[in-house]
Amino acid sequence: MRFWSLNAAVLGLALAASAGAHAMENQKFVYRAASLDLPDFLTEGRLFLDPEMAFGNWFGGGVTVGDWDRDGYNDIFISSFLADPDGVENAGAIYVFLGPDFTETERITALPEPEEGDNFGMQIEFADMNGDSSQDLVTTCLRSRWVSSDESLTMDQAGSFRIVWGPDYAGGIRLFDEYPEAGATLGRGLAAADFNMDGNMDLAIGGIGAYGALGKVIFRYGPDFNEQSEILSPIIENGMRFGVSLAAGDWNADGYVDLIAGADKVSSESGLDKAGQVQIWLGPDYREDQVIIFEESNPEVDRNFGASVDFGDLTGDGVPDLVVGISNAKWENKSWVGQVQIYPGPDYEEMIELNSPIREENSIFGSEIKIADVNGDGCSDLVVGEYYATVDGLSMAGRAWLFLGVKTEVETWSLF
């Protein structure tokens, strides 16, 4: 793994949830490392399918974990952000698979009614955003249309984000970029944390189409989320898609929240086009002259390293790990198979591969990733989206996977 630091700068809508039917057959598989090449700290995989499966839904685009129905069990949120709920084209929907067995689902869509082309559910977070001790649902809408207050100006595909307030999830807010831009697609990346350390939860949101697809990340500060600031990549390359993925955590163990941001179509340090990288922005100042650049040891052209990212203790040693999705990882000359790479902390020098149990061309395993203790056993688990996969002959229907974790000593990790 190659690290390098830059020492100088280079340039409201009401919502609610509607109950869905039982999930369609979500199959459970038990794999061992010997048969699936799973790392030793992940021992079981479970397949999740779209309860309303259809061509082009892109199920697995957004994933998160939390106790939606407040029954003491964690639930899994998985979006189909191009779904057509109630016949509204590409409006998007989120499906909550209810724990502990995940066989029943609830569907969440926007009210007063789903909007055509909105892409509701592109990214999802579930956290207490207003300090009332209830978990709130945060979701982005990648292609929302911005309309000026006098309706004289519109901007297509500007993107927006929504917060649905718990505990009843009957209302919420919808906000746009303070400086909206047509085609900015705000909401491709999303992370929730107290970035400015004032005791309130904040949001970091990536807009990959901003500034000629250079991309940007905005911070919206709680508790009202009206104040905004933004950061731009210290590396300037049109089409690099800075902010395509976001995560938060304390990278350098200094007590401040750091921001991890993917730029999956930027060239490598050696000049390989669209190799991709991950940038670590150190809190609390998030200065571009302190950014750490993280890329593959052997980058490849058009690999798209950094398409998804998360940061947390997946390996069970008490130290956070970096987990990165690669859109165009190839397998047996097949393109866009996808892959997840795990970099154990604290040095992030070794790499562990995680591949789809069903390796297929044009499936993009790792389209989204989430580290969380799903089953409450004290071990971190990993939820992985595969949103481009063909399922039952339906291309781009998508699927998702849950890999359960176990406590394992560092010395027993299986590197491959």
Side-chain angles (χ1 to χ4, degrees):
M1 173 51 52
R2 181 182 294 113
F3 292 92
W4 44 292
S5 297
L6 295 160
N7 297 318
V10 186
L11 246 194
L13 181 68
L15 308 172
S18 59
H22 284 265
M24 66 185 303
E25 191 66 21
N26 286 288
Q27 303 169 42
K28 183 176 182 180
F29 302 92
V30 177
Y31 298 108
R32 295 296 171 186
S35 62
L36 186 63
D37 291 333
L38 283 176
D40 290 346
F41 48 83
L42 297 174
T43 62
E44 185 174 316
R46 177 168 177 168
L47 173 64
F48 288 80
L49 301 175
D50 190 332
E52 299 177 294
M53 187 188 300
F55 163 80
N57 271 7
W58 290 43
F59 177 77
V63 300
T64 198
V65 174
D67 186 4
W68 169 257
D69 57 358
R70 303 182 303 281
D71 65 351
Y73 296 102
N74 270 333
D75 311 308
I76 301 175
F77 301 69
I78 307 175
S79 73
S80 290
F81 67 94
L82 289 177
D84 305 335
D86 305 324
V88 183
E89 185 176 3
N90 297 158
I94 298 170
Y95 299 94
V96 186
F97 293 79
L98 301 176
D101 56 12
F102 311 114
T103 58
E104 295 187 11
T105 64
E106 290 184 8
R107 188 185 76 178
I108 307 170
T109 57
L111 287 180
E113 59 185 9
E115 293 185 19
E116 182 176 350
D118 201 37
N119 297 177
F120 175 87
M122 174 69 252
Q123 290 291 305
I124 320 167
E125 288 281 358
F126 193 64
D128 180 7
M129 301 304 298
N130 58 359
D132 66 352
S133 300
S134 295
Q135 301 295 98
D136 308 306
L137 177 67
V138 184
T139 187
T140 63
C141 306
L142 193 65
R143 294 184 174 89
S144 294
R145 172 182 291 180
W146 177 85
V147 182
S148 63
S149 57
D150 63 2
E151 300 185 353
S152 64
L153 181 63
T154 63
M155 294 185 183
D156 290 336
Q157 300 187 16
S160 69
F161 67 96
R162 310 177 191 232
I163 304 177
V164 192
W165 304 119
D168 56 5
Y169 308 105
I173 59 174
R174 178 188 189 182
L175 296 172
F176 288 82
D177 191 338
E178 184 177 348
Y179 305 101
E181 177 186 346
T185 53
L186 182 75
R188 184 58 182 86
L190 176 67
D194 183 6
F195 290 104
N196 61 1
M197 306 294 288
D198 68 348
N200 296 307
M201 289 290 286
D202 312 308
L203 293 172
I205 311 170
I208 58 173
Y211 305 128
L214 165 67
K216 71 176 183 179
V217 174
I218 67 169
F219 293 103
R220 295 296 283 261
Y221 300 104
D224 57 13
F225 303 96
N226 289 321
E227 182 185 353
Q228 176 174 317
S229 65
E230 70 176 47
I231 56 175
L232 301 177
S233 171
I235 299 168
I236 304 299
E237 184 177 328
N238 284 343
M240 66 184 290
R241 305 206 322 166
F242 171 65
V244 68
S245 58
L246 297 172
D250 188 359
W251 174 271
N252 55 355
D254 65 351
Y256 294 104
V257 178
D258 307 313
L259 180 71
I260 296 93
D264 66 339
K265 292 189 180 295
V266 71
S267 298
S268 67
E269 185 186 18
S270 59
L272 298 175
D273 187 45
K274 299 178 182 177
Q277 67 182 212
V278 171
Q279 299 182 9
I280 296 92
W281 290 71
L282 301 177
D285 300 321
Y286 308 104
R287 291 168 40 186
E288 58 186 35
D289 61 345
Q290 295 180 342
V291 170
I292 300 168
I293 304 297
F294 190 98
E295 61 179 35
E296 289 188 275
S297 297
N298 298 297
E300 299 177 19
V301 171
D302 200 26
R303 189 157 160 89
N304 298 172
F305 178 84
S308 60
V309 66
D310 204 3
F311 187 70
D313 180 19
L314 183 60
T315 55
D317 64 348
V319 179
D321 311 305
L322 178 66
V323 183
V324 182
I326 305 169
S327 293
N328 197 17
K330 298 177 175 62
W331 179 69
E332 294 185 346
N333 297 318
K334 298 176 181 178
S335 298
W336 302 103
V337 176
Q339 184 180 82
V340 172
Q341 293 185 349
I342 302 161
Y343 295 89
D347 54 16
Y348 311 102
E349 292 180 352
E350 295 180 294
M351 186 271 287
I352 303 168
E353 294 180 356
L354 178 65
N355 296 300
S356 175
I358 308 173
R359 291 196 195 180
E360 295 176 334
E361 192 166 27
N362 297 324
S363 57
I364 311 186
F365 178 76
S367 57
E368 188 54 48
I369 47 184
K370 186 67 176 181
I371 302 168
D373 182 3
V374 175
N375 58 1
D377 66 352
C379 302
S380 292
D381 311 307
L382 187 65
V383 184
V384 182
E386 197 170 6
Y387 65 14
Y388 215 69
T390 296
V391 181
D392 291 344
L394 299 170
S395 62
M396 298 174 288
R399 59 186 171 228
W401 300 90
L402 167 62
F403 298 94
L404 294 177
V406 293
K407 289 287 185 184
T408 304
E409 296 297 326
V410 175
E411 290 76 16
T412 66
W413 289 350
S414 179
L415 302 178
F416 45 88

